[in-house]
């Protein structure tokens, strides 16, 4: 039996069998539960001095490599940034990756009540997307500005060679030719060229 059902807000649809409505309700619940779990499991935090920063991560490798281990290995630099960068300073984070330093600085600026800005330059597409997710997650859009460009010693249009798309936060991409800056002898076969 089909009849028009008023859903409010001017929307109407044909009434559907109970089986279909139950299935839609169950699927809606499952998708909602999945989003809720993913947002809790894959959002991690670090604390630098008095500043807490949240990071969206896809997996444990990204969590360890880009958040927890970065803070531990860069503790002195992050503590110094949190204490010494002024609330109204302008900061350039070149090669911002997923925003580990940019977010700490932006959160410290906000905590100090300043109007400073962090310009976070990140050319790699997945890192740039995750950087923006992390800016939004921390409500730092007024303090951290993500810019999808690489900075160098001259102005030119060139290629960015991507060695892997396994996870946001990956490093090792190269400009101009597929070899890493860490070792001129290490050449790789890019999976993508931006």
């Amino acid at each position: 039996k089909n009849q028009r059902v008023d859903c409010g807000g001017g929307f109407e649809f044909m009434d559907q069998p109970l089986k279909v409505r139950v299935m839609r309700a169950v699927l809606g619940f499952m998708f909602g539960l999945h989003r809720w779990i993913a947002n809790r499991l894959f959002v991690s935090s670090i604390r630098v001095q008095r500043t807490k920063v949240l990071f969206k991560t896809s997996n444990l490798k990204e969590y360890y490599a880009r958040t927890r281990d970065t803070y531990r290995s860069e503790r002195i630099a992050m503590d110094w940034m949190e204490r010494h960068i002024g609330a109204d300073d302008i900061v350039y984070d070149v090669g911002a990756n997923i925003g580990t330093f940019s977010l700490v600085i932006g959160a410290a600026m906000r905590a100090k009540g300043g109007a400073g800005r962090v310009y976070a330059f990140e050319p790699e597409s997945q890192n740039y997307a995750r950087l923006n997710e992390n800016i939004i997650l921390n409500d730092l859009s007024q303090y951290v500005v993500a810019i999808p460009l690489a900075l160098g010693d001259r102005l030119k249009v060139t290629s960015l060679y991507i060695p892997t798309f396994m996870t946001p936060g990956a490093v090792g991409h190269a400009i101009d030719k597929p070899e890493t800056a860490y070792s001129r002898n290490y050449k790789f076969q890019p999976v993508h060229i931006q």
Side-chain angles (χ1 to χ4, degrees):
K1 171 182 167 184
N2 286 333
Q3 66 183 31
R4 291 202 169 286
V5 176
D6 183 5
C7 297
F11 295 103
E12 291 185 359
F13 68 96
M14 297 299 285
D15 190 23
Q16 297 175 341
L18 179 62
K19 189 180 200 180
V20 172
R21 289 185 305 209
V22 169
M23 181 67 90
R24 284 188 177 174
V26 168
L27 287 174
F29 173 77
M30 288 172 51
F31 285 125
L33 182 62
H34 176 265
R35 276 193 306 273
W36 183 85
I37 290 171
N39 284 336
R40 266 91 191 145
L41 288 179
F42 297 119
V43 172
S44 57
S45 67
I46 63 170
R47 184 172 294 281
V48 180
Q49 301 282 349
R50 299 169 308 275
T51 305
K52 180 179 178 182
V53 179
L54 301 174
F55 291 93
K56 175 132 189 226
T57 55
S58 302
N59 53 50
L60 286 175
K61 179 181 177 186
E62 185 181 354
Y63 165 70
Y64 284 111
R66 294 289 146 230
T67 58
R68 192 195 74 164
D69 289 351
T70 298
Y71 173 65
R72 287 182 179 171
S73 65
E74 301 287 348
R75 178 177 225 127
I76 293 170
M78 287 191 170
D79 288 345
W80 184 91
M81 285 185 269
E82 204 262 351
R83 283 193 316 272
H84 291 92
I85 293 178
D88 297 317
D89 287 352
I90 301 296
V91 177
Y92 299 102
D93 184 357
V94 179
N97 203 279
I98 65 168
T100 306
F101 294 106
S102 298
L103 297 170
V104 168
I105 296 167
M109 288 176 171
R110 179 180 58 199
K112 295 173 183 176
R117 294 281 182 281
V118 179
Y119 294 96
F121 293 88
E122 177 51 53
E124 199 276 326
S125 60
Q126 287 188 323
N127 292 345
Y128 179 74
R130 183 55 50 86
L131 169 63
N132 280 285
E133 285 180 301
N134 288 332
I135 291 168
I136 293 166
L137 182 63
N138 287 280
D139 194 25
L140 289 173
S141 294
Q142 292 185 346
Y143 295 93
V144 181
V145 179
I147 302 171
L149 294 174
L151 294 185
D153 60 351
R154 59 186 176 251
L155 181 62
K156 66 180 178 176
V157 175
T158 189
S159 297
L160 180 67
Y161 294 86
I162 312 296
T164 180
F165 268 141
M166 291 180 69
T167 182
V171 297
H173 14 283
I175 293 176
D176 292 332
K177 52 190 167 192
E179 60 185 31
T180 66
Y182 308 113
S183 169
R184 294 287 178 213
N185 296 326
Y186 178 70
K187 296 183 189 304
F188 61 88
Q189 183 64 40
V191 296
H192 182 60
I193 301 171
Q194 287 181 194

